[in-house]
Amino acid sequence: MESPNTAPRAAAKAASRAAARLDRARQAAPQVFERLRNAIIALELPPGAPLSRAELAAQFGVSSTPVRDALMRLEEEGLVDVFPQHATVVSRIDVDRAQQAHFLRQALELEIVRLLATGRDPSLIIRLDQAIALQQQFAKAGDFEAFINADNDFHAQLYAAAGKQDLWILVRSRSGHIDRLRRLHLPSPGKAQNIVRHHRLITRAIEAGDGDAAQQHLRTHLSGTLSELAKIRARHPEYLSD
């Protein structure tokens, strides 16, 4: 993980990797936004990393307009701080925003897992178990980015099975700060395995039609990172807002 002292170099590397994957058949601005957002959440672009509009435009091979639009969207999510006529930098993790995102997600998913427990759909259980198997594989390999993708797929399956895909999109759009906290927390010993264990418990409760147990396991699961906030802050004080 890059530190703020290497922020300029990290910004250049992350933007270059993103530019290499730009799909010229799609609109540029959403792609620039997605690539930069992913790099910020993965902490490839750490808090304090500078984002030069001119340099990003050159690296992505686009005009300044798509870059400006992408940075405006990132500013709306609180993921970058824009100082007019001065600089744009990746923001620190806003703990209040992280807590609000957790509140929103927990409120929605508690109702979703209860709903799914009443349906007892065998095909959903198969899909959830497949996502869990992938997570276990990535956890053993120490591939945290692939692990996070499989983690997100597990939860996306819940929303899709409940017919609430638009709410998943809403949750993801509000989760930038807590996702960065989770990324800081994930390498902690036993954290990845705890996530896998919680996912198994949630799945088995849904399979058994036990809505109460599904909610209990989900509440424990989603609260794991915020319950360790003091330790995360102590290890990474430069990443979090005061």
Side-chain angles (χ1 to χ4, degrees):
M1 213 179 293
E2 300 282 354
S3 71
N5 293 332
T6 59
R9 188 169 58 216
K13 287 182 178 179
S16 296
R17 285 194 294 272
R21 300 192 295 273
L22 205 62
D23 182 355
R24 301 300 171 180
R26 295 174 53 206
Q27 289 187 336
Q31 292 187 81
V32 175
F33 167 75
E34 290 166 7
R35 301 309 191 266
L36 291 177
R37 187 181 190 277
N38 288 341
I40 290 170
I41 290 174
L43 302 177
E44 294 174 4
L45 289 172
L51 297 174
S52 163
R53 187 181 300 181
E55 290 179 7
L56 289 171
Q59 289 165 345
F60 280 107
V62 297
S63 70
S64 63
T65 301
V67 175
R68 180 201 64 200
D69 293 347
L71 292 177
M72 287 176 61
R73 287 185 64 187
L74 291 169
E75 184 183 20
E76 289 172 2
E77 291 193 20
L79 295 177
V80 302
D81 294 322
V82 178
F83 303 97
Q85 311 304 318
H86 178 57
T88 298
V89 299
V90 176
S91 69
R92 288 191 174 198
I93 298 170
D94 186 321
V95 173
D96 183 61
R97 282 182 182 247
Q99 290 171 331
Q100 290 190 50
H102 169 262
F103 184 90
L104 172 66
R105 181 168 178 178
Q106 180 170 266
L108 293 172
E109 290 192 27
L110 285 174
E111 295 306 313
I112 284 173
V113 296
R114 178 170 288 280
L115 176 65
L116 295 176
T118 66
R120 304 181 71 172
D121 178 2
S123 64
L124 170 62
I125 302 305
I126 292 172
R127 294 193 299 273
L128 294 178
D129 282 337
Q130 289 172 341
I132 292 168
L134 280 176
Q135 280 191 283
Q136 183 65 56
Q137 174 185 331
F138 296 137
K140 288 182 178 179
D143 188 340
F144 292 131
E145 303 314 317
F147 181 90
I148 289 170
N149 289 336
D151 186 358
N152 285 332
D153 180 59
F154 176 90
H155 289 275
Q157 293 283 357
L158 299 176
Y159 285 77
K164 309 297 183 186
Q165 294 93 325
D166 287 349
L167 292 180
W168 175 246
I169 294 171
L170 172 65
V171 165
R172 298 305 303 146
S173 72
R174 298 292 188 271
S175 295
H177 291 274
I178 196 162
D179 282 348
R180 288 196 287 171
L181 275 179
R182 288 178 174 136
R183 185 61 184 83
L184 288 174
H185 190 202
L186 184 57
S188 301
K191 174 59 178 176
Q193 290 299 333
N194 272 339
I195 292 173
V196 172
R197 182 172 61 85
H198 291 155
H199 282 183
R200 285 200 182 104
L201 290 170
I202 293 166
T203 300
R204 298 286 75 82
I206 292 173
E207 183 179 30
D210 190 340
D212 289 340
Q215 288 187 320
Q216 177 184 344
H217 295 312
L218 178 72
R219 188 177 284 107
T220 300
H221 170 54
L222 292 182
S223 300
T225 292
L226 287 179
S227 69
E228 298 292 326
L229 181 59
K231 292 180 181 179
I232 296 171
R233 186 186 290 278
R235 288 195 298 267
H236 307 282
E238 72 281 10
Y239 281 80
L240 277 64
S241 61
D242 297 330

